Amino acid sequence: MRFEIQAECSETGARAGLLHTAHGIIETPVFMPVGTQATVKGVTQRDLAGELDARIILANTYHLFLRPGNQLIRQMGGLHQFMAWPRAILTDSGGFQVFSLSDLRKITDQGVLFRSHLDGDAHLFTPESTVDVQMDFGSDIMMVLDECLAYPSSHEAANHAMQRTVQWARTAYSHYTRKVEETGSLSALFPIVQGSMFPDLRRACANELLELNAHGYAIGGLSVGEPRALSLEMTEVTAPLLPKDKPRYVMGVGMPEELPEYVARGVDMMDCVLPSRNARNGYLFTSEGRVVIKQARYRDDPAPVDPKCSCYTCRTHSRAYLRHLFQASEILFSSLATLHNLQYYLDRMRQIRQSILLGTFPAYLDGLRRSAVE
Amino acid sequence: MRFEIQAECSETGARAGLLHTAHGIIETPVFMPVGTQATVKGVTQRDLAGELDARIILANTYHLFLRPGNQLIRQMGGLHQFMAWPRAILTDSGGFQVFSLSDLRKITDQGVLFRSHLDGDAHLFTPESTVDVQMDFGSDIMMVLDECLAYPSSHEAANHAMQRTVQWARTAYSHYTRKVEETGSLSALFPIVQGSMFPDLRRACANELLELNAHGYAIGGLSVGEPRALSLEMTEVTAPLLPKDKPRYVMGVGMPEELPEYVARGVDMMDCVLPSRNARNGYLFTSEGRVVIKQARYRDDPAPVDPKCSCYTCRTHSRAYLRHLFQASEILFSSLATLHNLQYYLDRMRQIRQSILLGTFPAYLDGLRRSAVE
């Protein structure tokens, strides 16, 4: 994997780049649609590539490990072939879902023991096993197992979890390096900076992880309930400590208006379930603000969801029709709404990238901030 | 609306034709996908037209009358514009759903009083009002209100319902004729032959309805619980009584293997929820028989659902992936499975049509019957 920086903003930390993977070139900054169970809910792979031109999606190791299982996915030729997605895939380590979805977690220095939310079966994730699972998937970018705390956490608990995260990253990296030598795998492995909301712990964690000389670095432990300003502050503290020539990935953010804020702080990659989950719940992002489609005002509205949007949904359908589908609980609503919200996020990232390349990012950011205040 | 017969089978009653409507030409015999609530569940209008090349779909008056309402659809420019479907639409009269879905039905010579299954509100459908509602939709083909009995029914009850159906058809036709003169509407109106499973009543009903000189005729009151052989027998009794130069529509049938049997009896149009409903439940039709996708045998099956099928689903995905989506209750499963099952039905009808045009329909039918016995 090779990361090439094409342009840097002279006033902010924003950069535009190209991330070269075995499954195509990803233009950064990039927003990665979430395809938890090897599908972006309601969207065909054809539309993900053709309509949205997504270059990389995220899939969740926890879910796919439990069902259909990494052995099966490996047997079917890996995740790309299994889901018929020829472009890049990033998988998380499963740690976050273990902490948020499963029962009866027991963390030791070895790893984390948990019970499946599907059938209650006990499983153990270790730093080594989660690398193995993701190698079975054949992910382009794998993540190390980390310990992600809820917000708020004490400095002591955060320090302890951070130390364990560093130790796990070292273990994972040794294992990964051996496996790459054995198998010639092209998968990259990103460590994750933890440290809760404590700048000193974030700094310490970043410093330790730098020694791994990884292909890229993630900032984790955000979007866990803290105020949004704090997520940005932690990113601002951490991003400058990470290598300039490697991609930086902030996990699980954010709202559309936050995307340029993260980019301004030197972030290259983001993912979030918001556009797809909100879509299914009838919350649509538009250039004119939020459209809550169930509202009676849209009952006879012949306009597209967003007159400035070029997605299939906006090219084809009215708010009135979408509201009808939503009210009637029709499957098609989820598909059309998700297509729209993802296009909104991806278009916004493409605008951000374009403005960095053109040298106009500060003005772009300024305009967005001013329109947010109004 | 104009019906043009292109070829007739010399040994059976099968015919191939072209039905010219204001929204395109429909090649017959035709299977009409069901789009109950102004959407074929899980399928975009783009795929309905582009992938499946459906020329006509069916929508349900009962559902659309209740939600979003015919007034709104009219205000939005009619059903074609509301759902962004530029091809032909047939709507039923709503009668069948009143009998199967609503509470507290009260039938009088005037019409049928019923309570909405959505909110319990009382509504009245009359022969005139259901024409008005369908004219608000702008349907290419409208159906008259009829009284559809469950199976079995006594001869006396069936006779009574048949007489009322004839009376309603006359009332609907007078109203329709007046409205066409007033508005210049291009919608056609098909009366429905009833008579339960009694050949004498079917004959009497057909004879009465012939006087209306309609654009086409439907055979209703089938698929209401009777043995399949009996549905075919009633069709065999009724179809020859209907005008040769008008399209004949059997409502609510059938299984894939039954399509050519209806065609052999002189039927030009059919519709059924089976392909779409079975798809959502994981039952897939294939050239090699039924695939029940949840079965463990498909867990690691890399083959497409049907190796002989050219649909998007079969071109793109394995049985193993589809099984995973089904087991994980993913929305995408419904979309992919529905696309496949509809393509299976439409392809079968296209093969039937082709064989009629080529003069090989008897051999085609014979082959199918023999393979069904094996």
Side-chain angles (χ1 to χ4, degrees):
Chain A
M1 212 185 72
R2 190 166 61 83
F3 185 53
E4 174 189 348
I5 293 180
Q6 297 175 289
E8 291 178 79
C9 175
S10 54
E11 295 180 33
T12 71
R15 12 354 136 86
L18 297 175
L19 186 58
H20 299 260
T21 76
H23 293 93
I25 297 170
I26 300 151
E27 299 181 331
T28 66
V30 66
F31 178 82
M32 303 181 283
V34 177
T36 297
Q37 304 195 102
T39 164
V40 174
K41 291 186 192 306
V43 179
T44 60
Q45 276 70 318
R46 175 196 57 187
D47 285 346
L48 261 184
E51 286 285 334
L52 299 176
D53 196 16
R55 304 290 179 88
I56 179 169
I57 62 170
L58 180 147
N60 289 120
T61 293
Y62 171 84
H63 288 93
L64 293 174
F65 164 79
L66 292 178
R67 183 177 57 198
N70 49 301
Q71 303 283 358
L72 178 78
I73 289 175
R74 182 198 180 115
Q75 187 188 335
M76 302 310 294
L79 191 51
H80 294 84
Q81 193 173 330
F82 179 63
M83 67 179 289
W85 174 250
R87 301 187 176 189
I89 299 175
L90 180 148
T91 46
D92 59 9
S93 69
F96 186 82
Q97 275 74 27
V98 166
F99 292 104
S100 58
L101 289 179
S102 71
D103 292 329
L104 215 116
R105 295 177 301 275
K106 190 159 176 270
I107 307 179
T108 66
D109 287 343
Q110 248 57 54
V112 51
L113 191 74
F114 64 96
R115 286 197 181 282
S116 158
H117 75 291
L118 296 176
D119 58 13
D121 281 1
H123 299 279
L124 176 70
F125 271 172
T126 68
E128 297 95 330
S129 80
T130 52
V131 166
D132 291 342
V133 167
Q134 293 176 82
M135 280 203 165
D136 283 345
F137 296 158
S139 312
D140 297 281
I141 300 175
M142 313 187 295
M143 305 301 296
V144 294
L145 187 65
D146 59 336
E147 185 177 349
C148 182
L149 294 182
Y151 174 83
S153 291
S154 70
H155 190 278
E156 189 190 351
N159 187 29
H160 194 253
M162 182 274 277
Q163 298 289 356
R164 182 175 272 147
T165 293
V166 168
Q167 189 49 53
W168 282 357
R170 290 194 183 119
T171 308
Y173 246 78
S174 305
H175 184 69
Y176 164 72
T177 309
R178 260 197 316 278
K179 293 265 292 191
V180 167
E181 279 167 17
E182 273 170 38
T183 65
S185 162
L186 295 173
S187 303
L189 179 64
F190 284 17
I192 304 172
V193 179
Q194 290 288 352
S196 190
M197 306 305 153
F198 303 103
D200 62 319
L201 298 183
R202 290 274 170 189
R203 273 184 219 110
C205 191
N207 278 332
E208 298 276 7
L209 295 178
L210 285 187
E211 291 170 17
L212 299 173
N213 193 26
H215 286 101
Y217 286 86
I219 299 173
L222 300 180
S223 276
V224 291
E226 77 281 8
R228 292 173 183 284
L230 202 48
S231 335
L232 280 172
E233 194 187 316
M234 287 303 109
T235 302
E236 197 162 331
V237 164
T238 312
L241 305 172
L242 301 175
K244 282 203 68 160
D245 59 343
K246 304 282 175 68
R248 300 164 186 154
Y249 163 33
V250 174
M251 307 179 77
V253 298
M255 290 294 283
E257 60 273 19
E258 294 169 339
L259 303 184
E261 297 292 349
Y262 282 99
V263 171
R265 285 156 180 82
V267 174
D268 307 296
M269 306 167 68
M270 283 169 253
D271 79 283
C272 191
V273 294
L274 262 184
S276 37
R277 184 178 293 160
N278 276 9
R280 297 194 301 280
N281 293 327
Y283 295 87
L284 302 168
F285 297 107
T286 84
S287 60
E288 295 164 350
R290 214 68 47 85
V291 166
V292 181
I293 201 70
K294 75 174 173 199
Q295 290 175 355
R297 60 202 284 205
Y298 302 121
R299 191 177 167 276
D300 57 357
D301 189 338
V305 170
D306 185 347
K308 290 191 184 144
C309 178
S310 66
C311 80
Y312 170 73
T313 306
C314 289
R315 294 198 310 271
T316 314
H317 294 298
S318 64
R319 292 168 176 173
Y321 181 63
L322 289 170
R323 178 176 189 272
H324 163 65
L325 293 181
F326 182 77
Q327 297 292 90
S329 304
E330 280 286 351
I331 299 175
L332 188 60
F333 177 79
S334 291
S335 299
L336 294 174
T338 304
L339 259 185
H340 168 77
N341 270 1
L342 284 177
Q343 176 109 20
Y344 186 78
Y345 266 68
L346 295 176
D347 277 354
R348 181 159 280 222
M349 266 317 200
R350 286 187 276 253
Q351 287 162 13
I352 291 171
R353 178 178 150 79
Q354 200 56 26
S355 75
I356 299 169
L357 290 171
L358 294 172
T360 58
F361 179 71
Y364 178 89
L365 185 64
D366 208 45
L368 284 179
R369 282 176 178 164
R370 239 179 301 139
S371 71
V373 173
E374 275 157 19
Chain B
M1 211 186 72
R2 189 166 61 83
F3 185 54
E4 174 189 349
I5 293 180
Q6 298 174 287
E8 291 178 79
C9 174
S10 53
E11 295 179 34
T12 71
R15 19 328 156 89
L18 296 175
L19 186 58
H20 299 259
T21 77
H23 292 92
I25 298 170
I26 299 151
E27 299 182 331
T28 65
V30 66
F31 179 83
M32 303 181 283
V34 177
T36 297
Q37 303 194 102
T39 163
V40 174
K41 291 186 194 305
V43 180
T44 60
Q45 276 70 318
R46 175 197 56 186
D47 285 347
L48 261 183
E51 285 285 334
L52 299 175
D53 196 17
R55 304 289 180 88
I56 180 169
I57 61 170
L58 179 146
N60 289 121
T61 293
Y62 170 84
H63 287 94
L64 294 174
F65 165 79
L66 292 178
R67 184 176 57 198
N70 49 301
Q71 303 283 358
L72 178 77
I73 290 175
R74 183 198 179 116
Q75 187 189 334
M76 301 309 295
L79 191 50
H80 295 85
Q81 194 173 329
F82 179 62
M83 66 179 290
W85 175 249
R87 301 186 176 190
I89 298 174
L90 179 148
T91 46
D92 59 10
S93 68
F96 185 82
Q97 274 76 26
V98 165
F99 293 105
S100 57
L101 289 180
S102 71
D103 292 330
L104 215 118
R105 295 176 300 275
K106 189 157 177 270
I107 307 178
T108 67
D109 288 341
Q110 248 57 55
V112 52
L113 191 73
F114 64 96
R115 286 196 183 282
S116 158
H117 74 292
L118 295 176
D119 58 12
D121 281 2
H123 299 279
L124 177 68
F125 271 171
T126 69
E128 296 94 330
S129 79
T130 52
V131 166
D132 291 342
V133 168
Q134 293 176 82
M135 280 201 165
D136 283 345
F137 296 158
S139 312
D140 297 281
I141 301 175
M142 313 187 295
M143 305 300 296
V144 295
L145 188 65
D146 58 337
E147 186 178 348
C148 182
L149 295 181
Y151 173 83
S153 290
S154 70
H155 190 278
E156 190 190 351
N159 186 31
H160 195 252
M162 182 275 278
Q163 298 288 354
R164 182 175 273 147
T165 293
V166 168
Q167 190 48 54
W168 282 357
R170 289 194 182 117
T171 309
Y173 246 79
S174 304
H175 184 69
Y176 164 73
T177 310
R178 261 197 315 278
K179 292 266 291 192
V180 167
E181 279 167 18
E182 273 171 39
T183 64
S185 162
L186 296 173
S187 304
L189 179 64
F190 285 16
I192 304 172
V193 179
Q194 289 288 352
S196 188
M197 306 304 153
F198 304 102
D200 62 317
L201 299 183
R202 291 275 170 186
R203 273 185 218 108
C205 190
N207 278 332
E208 298 277 8
L209 296 178
L210 285 187
E211 291 169 18
L212 299 174
N213 193 25
H215 286 101
Y217 286 87
I219 300 173
L222 299 181
S223 277
V224 291
E226 76 281 9
R228 291 172 184 284
L230 202 48
S231 335
L232 279 172
E233 193 187 316
M234 286 304 107
T235 302
E236 196 161 332
V237 164
T238 312
L241 304 172
L242 301 175
K244 282 204 70 160
D245 58 343
K246 304 282 176 69
R248 300 162 184 155
Y249 163 33
V250 174
M251 306 180 77
V253 297
M255 290 294 283
E257 60 273 20
E258 295 169 339
L259 303 184
E261 297 292 350
Y262 282 100
V263 171
R265 285 156 180 81
V267 174
D268 307 296
M269 305 168 69
M270 284 169 253
D271 78 282
C272 192
V273 292
L274 262 184
S276 36
R277 183 177 296 160
N278 277 7
R280 297 196 300 281
N281 293 325
Y283 295 87
L284 302 167
F285 297 106
T286 84
S287 60
E288 296 164 348
R290 214 69 48 81
V291 165
V292 182
I293 201 70
K294 74 173 172 199
Q295 291 175 355
R297 60 201 283 206
Y298 301 123
R299 192 177 166 276
D300 58 356
D301 189 339
V305 170
D306 186 346
K308 290 192 183 143
C309 178
S310 65
C311 80
Y312 170 72
T313 305
C314 289
R315 292 199 311 270
T316 313
H317 294 298
S318 66
R319 292 169 175 172
Y321 181 64
L322 290 169
R323 179 176 188 271
H324 164 65
L325 293 180
F326 182 76
Q327 298 291 92
S329 305
E330 281 286 350
I331 300 174
L332 187 60
F333 178 79
S334 291
S335 299
L336 295 174
T338 305
L339 260 185
H340 169 76
N341 270 2
L342 285 177
Q343 176 109 17
Y344 186 78
Y345 267 69
L346 295 176
D347 277 354
R348 182 160 278 223
M349 266 318 201
R350 286 188 275 252
Q351 287 162 14
I352 291 171
R353 178 178 150 80
Q354 201 56 26
S355 74
I356 299 169
L357 291 171
L358 294 171
T360 58
F361 179 71
Y364 177 89
L365 185 62
D366 209 44
L368 283 179
R369 282 176 178 165
R370 241 180 296 140
S371 70
V373 172
E374 277 158 18

